[in-house]
Each structure stands twice: as C-alpha cells, then as structure tokens.
Amino acid sequence: MVKKKRPREHIIADLSVNHVERYVFLCGYSIERVEYDYGFDLIIFTYDINNEIENGQIYLQLKASDSLRTLANQEIITFTIARSDLELWLFEPMPCILILYDAQLNVAYWLYLQAYFENLLGFDLSKVGETVTVRLPKTNILNEDAIKKFAKYRDDILKQLKGVIRHNG
C-alpha cells in the first residue's frame, strides 16, 4: 500500500508563512492567514504604542521556491505574476506586498506592488498580456525593519484618505 506523500511545494510554502509570521510577531503585530487564496495569503494588523489596533491592513502574497530566478548580476530576482492578480493588487488602496521566499537560503525578499508599478515608466495595465515579470532587488530582505516599513506605507495611504471617504448609507 502506498501512502500519500507531502510534496516539497507544501513544505516550503509552510516555511515561507512561518518565516513571515515570525517577523510580524517580533514587531508586536498580528497576522491572519487567508483560508481561500484569491490573491492574498496573509493580512497584517498593526498596533500602536498602547497596543491598540490601528486602522488599515497590509496584504501579503507569498511565493516559495528552492531556486529563485536572478538576472546575470545575481542582484535582481525576477518573478512572473498573472495579470488577474495585478488587477486585484493595483486597485487595492492598502499596500500589497509580494514576498518571495528562498527555501534553500531561508531568506525572503519583498516588493511593494502598487509603488513598483506606479514607478514603472510607461506601464499600462490595459496593455499587459496574461503575465508580467517583476524585478525585486536582493536588498529588499524581509526582516523587522521591512515589516515596520510596510506599516509606514499603510500610514501614508491613510493620511491621503483622511477626509475624502464618504460612507453614504
């Protein structure tokens, strides 16, 4: 009798979640795992100096691999994403962060998706094919400082929204 086997992809996916969660917890924040993944795997909730929850969330999409693709200089990681994911991420007001986990090196890299595409000269979502390749600098290492930076990105968005939103019931 042959028993079911746990594939390597599931192991490294769990390792990637564990890797991210640790840094979030070290910052004093909490994280929710998204049960049905339609573009987000984790959502970060932050707290102020009085441990009171703050408004706004940070959305994370994780990808894990045993071998990330790099450009010839080895300083840039390339990753292909689907247009359907972009349509979700780029219209989300709160920060969407792509995290690529290298299971062999036990290190993760991140990319602030909305900012990346806003700064990409000539980018037009309506002219994109089925996939787009992004470039992540290897200097964007996921750690506590990165998690705190994500919270600042969220704060910057909330400042822009102040006084603009109207909830008309």
Side-chain angles (χ1 to χ4, degrees):
M1 178 163 82
V2 178
K3 293 183 180 181
K4 287 189 174 186
K5 295 181 180 181
R6 186 167 192 230
R8 174 76 178 151
E9 293 80 27
H10 292 184
I11 295 168
I12 64 175
D14 286 344
L15 287 170
S16 71
V17 170
N18 177 265
H19 187 85
V20 173
E21 285 178 333
R22 176 168 175 70
Y23 289 118
V24 170
F25 297 149
L26 287 170
C27 290
Y29 303 155
S30 63
I31 198 159
E32 298 277 334
R33 294 183 185 188
V34 177
E35 183 177 357
Y36 300 107
D37 174 12
Y38 295 106
F40 302 118
D41 293 306
L42 302 169
I43 303 171
I44 299 174
F45 295 87
T46 64
Y47 303 84
D48 65 18
I49 58 172
N50 297 316
N51 293 322
E52 295 174 341
I53 193 163
E54 297 176 318
N55 289 97
Q57 297 82 36
I58 302 149
Y59 296 97
L60 307 178
Q61 177 65 41
L62 279 61
K63 299 294 182 184
S65 175
D66 279 318
S67 58
L68 296 175
R69 290 182 299 168
T70 58
L71 294 179
N73 66 6
Q74 299 294 313
E75 296 303 314
I76 301 289
I77 299 163
T78 61
F79 187 77
T80 302
I81 54 180
R83 178 195 170 112
S84 58
D85 287 325
L86 271 182
E87 289 175 354
L88 172 67
W89 299 331
L90 297 184
F91 292 103
E92 170 57 47
M94 291 295 112
C96 298
I97 311 293
L98 174 65
I99 296 176
L100 302 181
Y101 176 72
D102 186 326
Q104 293 299 309
L105 299 176
N106 189 33
V107 64
Y109 306 95
W110 61 271
L111 183 67
Y112 181 8
L113 289 158
Q114 294 104 319
Y116 176 86
F117 285 100
E118 280 181 21
N119 292 311
L120 198 59
L121 291 176
F123 177 77
D124 183 347
L125 183 59
S126 68
K127 296 179 181 172
V128 170
E130 292 300 309
T131 63
V132 175
T133 299
V134 294
R135 297 174 176 212
L136 292 80
K138 278 193 168 181
T139 54
N140 283 9
I141 296 174
L142 187 78
N143 54 29
E144 286 178 70
D145 290 337
I147 300 295
K148 290 175 185 174
K149 191 178 284 192
F150 303 162
K152 286 182 179 154
Y153 296 153
R154 186 268 332 267
D155 293 344
D156 290 344
I157 292 165
L158 290 174
K159 286 177 191 169
Q160 294 174 56
L161 295 176
K162 202 167 205 162
V164 175
I165 297 173
R166 304 274 187 265
H167 294 281
N168 299 318

